[in-house]
Amino acid sequence: MFCVGRSRRAIAFCLFAGVAIGWSNAARASLTYQVGHGNDDTGFVVVSGAFEADDDLSKFISAVQGGNVKAVFFNSPGGNIAKAIELGRLIRQLHLATIQIKTAECASACSLAFMGGTPRFADPGSIGVHKSSFADTSGMNVADAVSAIQQLTAEVIAYMTEMGVDPALLQLSLKYDSDDIRYLSGSEMEQYHLALNGSKPANEAALSGSLTPTTPPSVSPPVTLTPSSTVASLPPSEPLPSFAIPDARTGRIQHYDGKAPLKAAATSKSVTVGMFLNGSPVAILDDTGKWYHVRVGTRVGYLFHSWVWVSQFGAAPYGRQFVQVKSFDNYADTEQYIRSSPLPVMAYLASNGWFAITLDRTFDPDGAEKMVGNLKASGSIPDDSIATWGNAFVRKVCCQTH
């Protein structure tokens, strides 16, 4: 995954955007903030310049609070990754939308800051990514530099997941050298969950007129924003979801080993009467509580609950895995945990009556294992988090918040 050289001063690494130590051209200006207002007095702020490690983001907070700001535009070539992530988290904390138009620049580390928006709008071709390198490693040996790179990569992956962006976008960026930029299409923005409108131009989805970030905000055209409340958590008045569990009648075998043993009795110590591959159709005759009494082909026996994907549940497509980070035995604690989580998570009712909290999307099995490993390494999820088929998950009950 990493492109690591052998020289202390030329250790290249494949990362999402920007330069880890700082923007390579010192002549580029650090961040500035210009505030403007639309015809309904709704404010926006234009973030311009390169991200520097010593940028004072309190100036951004002052601009937002003093201008009734509801949205952020960017005109930035990138810069320091850590500072871009810091601004992105600040944007999320302040519940601001992010909007990017093609006539302005948001490339490299800027795309990380853009991810903080709720919601996010972007013109196709308005956001660029690439891999990058840093040369100032004179104080590190190769082993230390590699360790630092790995840690930073884990932090970027964790941040992208936290913001609800598919970390697979990182892999796309690795295909483009640091002196090149890959601008994302509208369909790619949708695919990687980077922008909510994707193929629709940002100025069509969120603007009346156009905005050129280099134009003084006082003469910028009006802005009409989609309030961040449209993607906020469920209102308190919303009724509780259904906790009814349907009868399990049919399904398919889905086991981590690729096949499951059909047992003669409802215990793991009983005789195995047959082995059946994943995908084998199952008719469920009865439910003993932990085991299903089933017919598979011409054989009758017992399969443990977690070995069967049940058609009547169908919480996720067959063959996809969840990253489960927590579970609770009551809905109140489940909802409270989700609403306070920095990660994009949701909850599923399980067939045993408990509630499983997972990341807000499913993965192929290899992707789920890698995601668990990366997020554990960065400290973003508990050490007992797991990748799971979620065979016992009945339905989603709460409550995507990002």
Side-chain angles (χ1 to χ4, degrees), residues 4-8 11 137-148:
V4 181
R6 298 183 180 277
S7 167
R8 284 187 176 186
I11 297 179
T137 58
S138 56
M140 299 183 187
N141 58 36
V142 171
D144 288 342
V146 171
S147 177

Side-chain angles (χ1 to χ4, degrees), residues 37-40 42-44 71 73 99 206-208 211 220-225:
H37 292 84
N39 52 15
D40 60 353
T42 298
F44 58 88
F73 294 81
I99 302 171
L207 306 174
S208 57
L211 172 71
S220 296
V223 177
T224 302
L225 300 174

